[in-house]
PDB file of all heavy atoms in Angstrom:
ATOM      1  N   GLU A 233      13.586 -12.119  10.115  1.00 84.00           N
ATOM      2  CA  GLU A 233      13.088 -13.198   9.224  1.00 84.00           C
ATOM      3  C   GLU A 233      12.298 -12.611   8.061  1.00 84.00           C
ATOM      4  O   GLU A 233      12.487 -13.051   6.906  1.00 84.00           O
ATOM      5  CB  GLU A 233      12.243 -14.175  10.087  1.00 84.00           C
ATOM      6  CG  GLU A 233      11.778 -15.371   9.303  1.00 84.00           C
ATOM      7  CD  GLU A 233      10.937 -16.318  10.178  1.00 84.00           C
ATOM      8  OE1 GLU A 233      10.868 -16.092  11.422  1.00 84.00           O
ATOM      9  OE2 GLU A 233      10.330 -17.260   9.659  1.00 84.00           O
ATOM     10  N   LEU A 234      11.417 -11.698   8.326  1.00 83.00           N
ATOM     11  CA  LEU A 234      10.616 -11.100   7.310  1.00 83.00           C
ATOM     12  C   LEU A 234      11.448 -10.317   6.309  1.00 83.00           C
ATOM     13  O   LEU A 234      11.242 -10.389   5.106  1.00 83.00           O
ATOM     14  CB  LEU A 234       9.509 -10.210   7.949  1.00 83.00           C
ATOM     15  CG  LEU A 234       8.578  -9.494   6.974  1.00 83.00           C
ATOM     16  CD1 LEU A 234       7.765 -10.464   6.150  1.00 83.00           C
ATOM     17  CD2 LEU A 234       7.586  -8.565   7.776  1.00 83.00           C
ATOM     18  N   LEU A 235      12.394  -9.537   6.842  1.00 84.00           N
ATOM     19  CA  LEU A 235      13.245  -8.722   5.945  1.00 84.00           C
ATOM     20  C   LEU A 235      14.126  -9.597   5.066  1.00 84.00           C
ATOM     21  O   LEU A 235      14.328  -9.318   3.895  1.00 84.00           O
ATOM     22  CB  LEU A 235      14.069  -7.794   6.800  1.00 84.00           C
ATOM     23  CG  LEU A 235      13.303  -6.589   7.399  1.00 84.00           C
ATOM     24  CD1 LEU A 235      14.230  -5.813   8.373  1.00 84.00           C
ATOM     25  CD2 LEU A 235      12.811  -5.646   6.333  1.00 84.00           C
ATOM     26  N   LEU A 236      14.706 -10.678   5.667  1.00 82.00           N
ATOM     27  CA  LEU A 236      15.562 -11.556   4.884  1.00 82.00           C
ATOM     28  C   LEU A 236      14.775 -12.198   3.743  1.00 82.00           C
ATOM     29  O   LEU A 236      15.319 -12.403   2.659  1.00 82.00           O
ATOM     30  CB  LEU A 236      16.179 -12.640   5.770  1.00 82.00           C
ATOM     31  CG  LEU A 236      17.287 -12.166   6.705  1.00 82.00           C
ATOM     32  CD1 LEU A 236      17.720 -13.286   7.659  1.00 82.00           C
ATOM     33  CD2 LEU A 236      18.484 -11.673   5.885  1.00 82.00           C
ATOM     34  N   PHE A 237      13.503 -12.515   3.969  1.00 79.00           N
ATOM     35  CA  PHE A 237      12.695 -13.114   2.929  1.00 79.00           C
ATOM     36  C   PHE A 237      12.243 -12.035   1.954  1.00 79.00           C
ATOM     37  O   PHE A 237      12.203 -12.296   0.711  1.00 79.00           O
ATOM     38  CB  PHE A 237      11.468 -13.825   3.532  1.00 79.00           C
ATOM     39  CG  PHE A 237      10.655 -14.588   2.499  1.00 79.00           C
ATOM     40  CD1 PHE A 237      11.010 -15.910   2.172  1.00 79.00           C
ATOM     41  CD2 PHE A 237       9.614 -14.002   1.849  1.00 79.00           C
ATOM     42  CE1 PHE A 237      10.335 -16.589   1.211  1.00 79.00           C
ATOM     43  CE2 PHE A 237       8.899 -14.678   0.896  1.00 79.00           C
ATOM     44  CZ  PHE A 237       9.246 -16.016   0.587  1.00 79.00           C
ATOM     45  N   SER A 238      11.872 -10.869   2.428  1.00 78.00           N
ATOM     46  CA  SER A 238      11.150  -9.861   1.561  1.00 78.00           C
ATOM     47  C   SER A 238      12.141  -8.955   0.785  1.00 78.00           C
ATOM     48  O   SER A 238      11.764  -8.492  -0.269  1.00 78.00           O
ATOM     49  CB  SER A 238      10.244  -9.013   2.470  1.00 78.00           C
ATOM     50  OG  SER A 238       9.218  -9.778   2.974  1.00 78.00           O
ATOM     51  N   LEU A 239      13.336  -8.705   1.335  1.00 77.00           N
ATOM     52  CA  LEU A 239      14.228  -7.746   0.649  1.00 77.00           C
ATOM     53  C   LEU A 239      14.587  -8.191  -0.762  1.00 77.00           C
ATOM     54  O   LEU A 239      14.668  -7.416  -1.638  1.00 77.00           O
ATOM     55  CB  LEU A 239      15.465  -7.500   1.516  1.00 77.00           C
ATOM     56  CG  LEU A 239      15.212  -6.543   2.673  1.00 77.00           C
ATOM     57  CD1 LEU A 239      16.501  -6.374   3.522  1.00 77.00           C
ATOM     58  CD2 LEU A 239      14.734  -5.168   2.255  1.00 77.00           C
ATOM     59  N   PRO A 240      14.846  -9.504  -0.991  1.00 73.00           N
ATOM     60  CA  PRO A 240      15.040  -9.936  -2.358  1.00 73.00           C
ATOM     61  C   PRO A 240      13.815  -9.645  -3.230  1.00 73.00           C
ATOM     62  O   PRO A 240      13.958  -9.344  -4.429  1.00 73.00           O
ATOM     63  CB  PRO A 240      15.340 -11.431  -2.251  1.00 73.00           C
ATOM     64  CG  PRO A 240      15.855 -11.615  -0.885  1.00 73.00           C
ATOM     65  CD  PRO A 240      15.151 -10.613  -0.023  1.00 73.00           C
ATOM     66  N   LEU A 241      12.639  -9.760  -2.637  1.00 72.00           N
ATOM     67  CA  LEU A 241      11.429  -9.457  -3.371  1.00 72.00           C
ATOM     68  C   LEU A 241      11.318  -7.979  -3.688  1.00 72.00           C
ATOM     69  O   LEU A 241      10.831  -7.564  -4.709  1.00 72.00           O
ATOM     70  CB  LEU A 241      10.197  -9.891  -2.540  1.00 72.00           C
ATOM     71  CG  LEU A 241      10.076 -11.428  -2.290  1.00 72.00           C
ATOM     72  CD1 LEU A 241       8.873 -11.691  -1.373  1.00 72.00           C
ATOM     73  CD2 LEU A 241       9.981 -12.171  -3.577  1.00 72.00           C
ATOM     74  N   MET A 242      11.806  -7.090  -2.723  1.00 77.00           N
ATOM     75  CA  MET A 242      11.846  -5.655  -3.013  1.00 77.00           C
ATOM     76  C   MET A 242      12.717  -5.411  -4.182  1.00 77.00           C
ATOM     77  O   MET A 242      12.365  -4.627  -5.089  1.00 77.00           O
ATOM     78  CB  MET A 242      12.346  -4.902  -1.758  1.00 77.00           C
ATOM     79  CG  MET A 242      12.406  -3.411  -1.998  1.00 77.00           C
ATOM     80  SD  MET A 242      13.544  -2.515  -0.892  1.00 77.00           S
ATOM     81  CE  MET A 242      15.125  -3.003  -1.587  1.00 77.00           C
ATOM     82  N   THR A 243      13.878  -6.055  -4.207  1.00 73.00           N
ATOM     83  CA  THR A 243      14.750  -5.917  -5.363  1.00 73.00           C
ATOM     84  C   THR A 243      14.100  -6.364  -6.644  1.00 73.00           C
ATOM     85  O   THR A 243      14.220  -5.716  -7.661  1.00 73.00           O
ATOM     86  CB  THR A 243      16.085  -6.720  -5.107  1.00 73.00           C
ATOM     87  OG1 THR A 243      16.643  -6.301  -3.867  1.00 73.00           O
ATOM     88  CG2 THR A 243      17.079  -6.393  -6.247  1.00 73.00           C
ATOM     89  N   SER A 244      13.376  -7.464  -6.537  1.00 69.00           N
ATOM     90  CA  SER A 244      12.664  -7.985  -7.720  1.00 69.00           C
ATOM     91  C   SER A 244      11.570  -6.963  -8.156  1.00 69.00           C
ATOM     92  O   SER A 244      11.453  -6.666  -9.344  1.00 69.00           O
ATOM     93  CB  SER A 244      11.995  -9.313  -7.383  1.00 69.00           C
ATOM     94  OG  SER A 244      12.982 -10.310  -7.166  1.00 69.00           O
ATOM     95  N   ASN A 245      10.840  -6.442  -7.183  1.00 72.00           N
ATOM     96  CA  ASN A 245       9.805  -5.445  -7.534  1.00 72.00           C
ATOM     97  C   ASN A 245      10.427  -4.177  -8.124  1.00 72.00           C
ATOM     98  O   ASN A 245       9.886  -3.644  -9.077  1.00 72.00           O
ATOM     99  CB  ASN A 245       9.023  -5.096  -6.288  1.00 72.00           C
ATOM    100  CG  ASN A 245       8.109  -6.247  -5.845  1.00 72.00           C
ATOM    101  OD1 ASN A 245       7.779  -7.136  -6.595  1.00 72.00           O
ATOM    102  ND2 ASN A 245       7.691  -6.181  -4.562  1.00 72.00           N
ATOM    103  N   LEU A 246      11.535  -3.754  -7.518  1.00 75.00           N
ATOM    104  CA  LEU A 246      12.219  -2.596  -8.030  1.00 75.00           C
ATOM    105  C   LEU A 246      12.710  -2.828  -9.461  1.00 75.00           C
ATOM    106  O   LEU A 246      12.536  -1.992 -10.327  1.00 75.00           O
ATOM    107  CB  LEU A 246      13.395  -2.222  -7.157  1.00 75.00           C
ATOM    108  CG  LEU A 246      14.093  -0.901  -7.456  1.00 75.00           C
ATOM    109  CD1 LEU A 246      13.131   0.259  -7.390  1.00 75.00           C
ATOM    110  CD2 LEU A 246      15.259  -0.680  -6.480  1.00 75.00           C
ATOM    111  N   MET A 247      13.262  -3.984  -9.725  1.00 75.00           N
ATOM    112  CA  MET A 247      13.752  -4.343 -11.059  1.00 75.00           C
ATOM    113  C   MET A 247      12.552  -4.400 -12.029  1.00 75.00           C
ATOM    114  O   MET A 247      12.645  -3.969 -13.163  1.00 75.00           O
ATOM    115  CB  MET A 247      14.485  -5.692 -11.052  1.00 75.00           C
ATOM    116  CG  MET A 247      15.757  -5.712 -10.258  1.00 75.00           C
ATOM    117  SD  MET A 247      16.957  -4.469 -10.736  1.00 75.00           S
ATOM    118  CE  MET A 247      16.780  -3.228  -9.447  1.00 75.00           C
ATOM    119  N   SER A 248      11.411  -4.902 -11.545  1.00 74.00           N
ATOM    120  CA  SER A 248      10.245  -4.977 -12.383  1.00 74.00           C
ATOM    121  C   SER A 248       9.747  -3.607 -12.759  1.00 74.00           C
ATOM    122  O   SER A 248       9.389  -3.343 -13.913  1.00 74.00           O
ATOM    123  CB  SER A 248       9.134  -5.756 -11.630  1.00 74.00           C
ATOM    124  OG  SER A 248       7.931  -5.759 -12.397  1.00 74.00           O
ATOM    125  N   PHE A 249       9.802  -2.684 -11.807  1.00 74.00           N
ATOM    126  CA  PHE A 249       9.365  -1.314 -12.116  1.00 74.00           C
ATOM    127  C   PHE A 249      10.364  -0.597 -13.014  1.00 74.00           C
ATOM    128  O   PHE A 249       9.992   0.228 -13.833  1.00 74.00           O
ATOM    129  CB  PHE A 249       9.118  -0.541 -10.810  1.00 74.00           C
ATOM    130  CG  PHE A 249       7.734  -0.697 -10.285  1.00 74.00           C
ATOM    131  CD1 PHE A 249       7.471  -1.660  -9.301  1.00 74.00           C
ATOM    132  CD2 PHE A 249       6.683   0.003 -10.827  1.00 74.00           C
ATOM    133  CE1 PHE A 249       6.149  -1.847  -8.843  1.00 74.00           C
ATOM    134  CE2 PHE A 249       5.410  -0.152 -10.334  1.00 74.00           C
ATOM    135  CZ  PHE A 249       5.137  -1.066  -9.358  1.00 74.00           C
ATOM    136  N   ILE A 250      11.640  -0.957 -12.862  1.00 77.00           N
ATOM    137  CA  ILE A 250      12.603  -0.421 -13.777  1.00 77.00           C
ATOM    138  C   ILE A 250      12.325  -0.857 -15.223  1.00 77.00           C
ATOM    139  O   ILE A 250      12.375  -0.083 -16.137  1.00 77.00           O
ATOM    140  CB  ILE A 250      14.055  -0.842 -13.370  1.00 77.00           C
ATOM    141  CG1 ILE A 250      14.485  -0.047 -12.053  1.00 77.00           C
ATOM    142  CG2 ILE A 250      15.067  -0.581 -14.470  1.00 77.00           C
ATOM    143  CD1 ILE A 250      15.773  -0.479 -11.506  1.00 77.00           C
ATOM    144  N   MET A 251      11.968  -2.156 -15.311  1.00 76.00           N
ATOM    145  CA  MET A 251      11.596  -2.654 -16.666  1.00 76.00           C
ATOM    146  C   MET A 251      10.356  -1.949 -17.222  1.00 76.00           C
ATOM    147  O   MET A 251      10.230  -1.675 -18.398  1.00 76.00           O
ATOM    148  CB  MET A 251      11.359  -4.169 -16.614  1.00 76.00           C
ATOM    149  CG  MET A 251      12.612  -4.998 -16.523  1.00 76.00           C
ATOM    150  SD  MET A 251      12.289  -6.728 -16.788  1.00 76.00           S
ATOM    151  CE  MET A 251      11.345  -7.156 -15.314  1.00 76.00           C
ATOM    152  N   ASN A 252       9.424  -1.619 -16.319  1.00 75.00           N
ATOM    153  CA  ASN A 252       8.190  -0.972 -16.751  1.00 75.00           C
ATOM    154  C   ASN A 252       8.356   0.540 -17.057  1.00 75.00           C
ATOM    155  O   ASN A 252       7.678   1.078 -17.899  1.00 75.00           O
ATOM    156  CB  ASN A 252       7.108  -1.152 -15.686  1.00 75.00           C
ATOM    157  CG  ASN A 252       6.412  -2.471 -15.789  1.00 75.00           C
ATOM    158  OD1 ASN A 252       6.129  -2.921 -16.901  1.00 75.00           O
ATOM    159  ND2 ASN A 252       6.177  -3.092 -14.667  1.00 75.00           N
ATOM    160  N   TRP A 253       9.258   1.182 -16.277  1.00 77.00           N
ATOM    161  CA  TRP A 253       9.229   2.653 -16.290  1.00 77.00           C
ATOM    162  C   TRP A 253      10.571   3.326 -16.737  1.00 77.00           C
ATOM    163  O   TRP A 253      10.577   4.550 -16.843  1.00 77.00           O
ATOM    164  CB  TRP A 253       8.856   3.188 -14.906  1.00 77.00           C
ATOM    165  CG  TRP A 253       7.487   2.713 -14.519  1.00 77.00           C
ATOM    166  CD1 TRP A 253       7.168   1.783 -13.564  1.00 77.00           C
ATOM    167  CD2 TRP A 253       6.246   3.056 -15.098  1.00 77.00           C
ATOM    168  NE1 TRP A 253       5.803   1.580 -13.513  1.00 77.00           N
ATOM    169  CE2 TRP A 253       5.188   2.367 -14.450  1.00 77.00           C
ATOM    170  CE3 TRP A 253       5.875   3.942 -16.135  1.00 77.00           C
ATOM    171  CZ2 TRP A 253       3.854   2.473 -14.761  1.00 77.00           C
ATOM    172  CZ3 TRP A 253       4.520   4.084 -16.462  1.00 77.00           C
ATOM    173  CH2 TRP A 253       3.519   3.326 -15.765  1.00 77.00           C
ATOM    174  N   THR A 254      11.630   2.582 -16.917  1.00 85.00           N
ATOM    175  CA  THR A 254      12.848   3.177 -17.399  1.00 85.00           C
ATOM    176  C   THR A 254      12.647   3.848 -18.749  1.00 85.00           C
ATOM    177  O   THR A 254      13.163   4.960 -19.040  1.00 85.00           O
ATOM    178  CB  THR A 254      13.947   2.125 -17.533  1.00 85.00           C
ATOM    179  OG1 THR A 254      14.270   1.687 -16.196  1.00 85.00           O
ATOM    180  CG2 THR A 254      15.218   2.755 -18.164  1.00 85.00           C
ATOM    181  N   ASP A 255      11.811   3.230 -19.642  1.00 89.00           N
ATOM    182  CA  ASP A 255      11.510   3.838 -20.895  1.00 89.00           C
ATOM    183  C   ASP A 255      10.865   5.183 -20.760  1.00 89.00           C
ATOM    184  O   ASP A 255      11.233   6.174 -21.476  1.00 89.00           O
ATOM    185  CB  ASP A 255      10.642   2.911 -21.753  1.00 89.00           C
ATOM    186  CG  ASP A 255       9.441   2.344 -21.028  1.00 89.00           C
ATOM    187  OD1 ASP A 255       9.204   2.762 -19.889  1.00 89.00           O
ATOM    188  OD2 ASP A 255       8.789   1.494 -21.587  1.00 89.00           O
ATOM    189  N   THR A 256       9.951   5.332 -19.807  1.00 86.00           N
ATOM    190  CA  THR A 256       9.316   6.639 -19.534  1.00 86.00           C
ATOM    191  C   THR A 256      10.302   7.675 -19.114  1.00 86.00           C
ATOM    192  O   THR A 256      10.295   8.807 -19.633  1.00 86.00           O
ATOM    193  CB  THR A 256       8.187   6.486 -18.500  1.00 86.00           C
ATOM    194  OG1 THR A 256       7.149   5.651 -19.032  1.00 86.00           O
ATOM    195  CG2 THR A 256       7.606   7.812 -18.112  1.00 86.00           C
ATOM    196  N   LEU A 257      11.153   7.293 -18.142  1.00 86.00           N
ATOM    197  CA  LEU A 257      12.116   8.284 -17.623  1.00 86.00           C
ATOM    198  C   LEU A 257      13.151   8.687 -18.681  1.00 86.00           C
ATOM    199  O   LEU A 257      13.491   9.892 -18.782  1.00 86.00           O
ATOM    200  CB  LEU A 257      12.841   7.673 -16.398  1.00 86.00           C
ATOM    201  CG  LEU A 257      11.941   7.438 -15.168  1.00 86.00           C
ATOM    202  CD1 LEU A 257      12.769   6.717 -14.071  1.00 86.00           C
ATOM    203  CD2 LEU A 257      11.322   8.682 -14.615  1.00 86.00           C
ATOM    204  N   MET A 258      13.610   7.759 -19.457  1.00 91.00           N
ATOM    205  CA  MET A 258      14.629   8.057 -20.470  1.00 91.00           C
ATOM    206  C   MET A 258      14.035   8.836 -21.641  1.00 91.00           C
ATOM    207  O   MET A 258      14.696   9.711 -22.222  1.00 91.00           O
ATOM    208  CB  MET A 258      15.342   6.805 -20.933  1.00 91.00           C
ATOM    209  CG  MET A 258      16.314   6.242 -19.918  1.00 91.00           C
ATOM    210  SD  MET A 258      17.456   5.089 -20.623  1.00 91.00           S
ATOM    211  CE  MET A 258      18.542   4.753 -19.250  1.00 91.00           C
ATOM    212  N   LEU A 259      12.808   8.490 -21.960  1.00 91.00           N
ATOM    213  CA  LEU A 259      12.129   9.341 -23.023  1.00 91.00           C
ATOM    214  C   LEU A 259      11.978  10.779 -22.569  1.00 91.00           C
ATOM    215  O   LEU A 259      12.143  11.739 -23.352  1.00 91.00           O
ATOM    216  CB  LEU A 259      10.763   8.723 -23.343  1.00 91.00           C
ATOM    217  CG  LEU A 259      10.723   7.537 -24.263  1.00 91.00           C
ATOM    218  CD1 LEU A 259       9.351   6.889 -24.290  1.00 91.00           C
ATOM    219  CD2 LEU A 259      11.166   7.885 -25.681  1.00 91.00           C
ATOM    220  N   GLY A 260      11.657  10.951 -21.285  1.00 88.00           N
ATOM    221  CA  GLY A 260      11.570  12.292 -20.728  1.00 88.00           C
ATOM    222  C   GLY A 260      12.870  13.001 -20.772  1.00 88.00           C
ATOM    223  O   GLY A 260      12.973  14.235 -21.112  1.00 88.00           O
ATOM    224  N   HIS A 261      13.966  12.262 -20.504  1.00 86.00           N
ATOM    225  CA  HIS A 261      15.309  12.859 -20.511  1.00 86.00           C
ATOM    226  C   HIS A 261      15.746  13.294 -21.909  1.00 86.00           C
ATOM    227  O   HIS A 261      16.236  14.402 -22.077  1.00 86.00           O
ATOM    228  CB  HIS A 261      16.327  11.866 -19.915  1.00 86.00           C
ATOM    229  CG  HIS A 261      17.718  12.318 -19.987  1.00 86.00           C
ATOM    230  ND1 HIS A 261      18.227  13.290 -19.171  1.00 86.00           N
ATOM    231  CD2 HIS A 261      18.747  11.945 -20.837  1.00 86.00           C
ATOM    232  CE1 HIS A 261      19.542  13.465 -19.470  1.00 86.00           C
ATOM    233  NE2 HIS A 261      19.867  12.674 -20.450  1.00 86.00           N
ATOM    234  N   TYR A 262      15.539  12.388 -22.846  1.00 89.00           N
ATOM    235  CA  TYR A 262      16.022  12.674 -24.231  1.00 89.00           C
ATOM    236  C   TYR A 262      15.069  13.446 -25.100  1.00 89.00           C
ATOM    237  O   TYR A 262      15.451  14.280 -25.907  1.00 89.00           O
ATOM    238  CB  TYR A 262      16.334  11.326 -24.896  1.00 89.00           C
ATOM    239  CG  TYR A 262      17.594  10.649 -24.421  1.00 89.00           C
ATOM    240  CD1 TYR A 262      17.495   9.443 -23.682  1.00 89.00           C
ATOM    241  CD2 TYR A 262      18.859  11.222 -24.656  1.00 89.00           C
ATOM    242  CE1 TYR A 262      18.660   8.841 -23.234  1.00 89.00           C
ATOM    243  CE2 TYR A 262      20.028  10.564 -24.231  1.00 89.00           C
ATOM    244  CZ  TYR A 262      19.920   9.376 -23.493  1.00 89.00           C
ATOM    245  OH  TYR A 262      21.061   8.759 -23.002  1.00 89.00           O
ATOM    246  N   LEU A 263      13.756  13.186 -24.957  1.00 89.00           N
ATOM    247  CA  LEU A 263      12.804  13.740 -25.933  1.00 89.00           C
ATOM    248  C   LEU A 263      11.700  14.603 -25.308  1.00 89.00           C
ATOM    249  O   LEU A 263      10.898  15.191 -26.028  1.00 89.00           O
ATOM    250  CB  LEU A 263      12.116  12.590 -26.713  1.00 89.00           C
ATOM    251  CG  LEU A 263      13.137  11.674 -27.467  1.00 89.00           C
ATOM    252  CD1 LEU A 263      12.410  10.525 -28.143  1.00 89.00           C
ATOM    253  CD2 LEU A 263      13.901  12.505 -28.539  1.00 89.00           C
ATOM    254  N   GLY A 264      11.593  14.702 -23.978  1.00 85.00           N
ATOM    255  CA  GLY A 264      10.659  15.623 -23.334  1.00 85.00           C
ATOM    256  C   GLY A 264       9.347  14.945 -23.026  1.00 85.00           C
ATOM    257  O   GLY A 264       9.013  13.853 -23.432  1.00 85.00           O
TER     258      GLY A 264
END
Side-chain angles (χ1 to χ4, degrees):
E233 185 178 351
L234 180 60
L235 287 171
L236 286 174
F237 186 87
S238 295
L239 285 177
L241 297 176
M242 180 200 75
T243 305
S244 295
N245 289 340
L246 186 59
M247 296 303 103
S248 177
F249 274 96
I250 287 174
M251 285 192 291
N252 277 320
W253 300 111
T254 294
D255 47 8
T256 293
L257 295 175
M258 286 198 175
L259 281 170
H261 175 74
Y262 286 111
L263 302 175

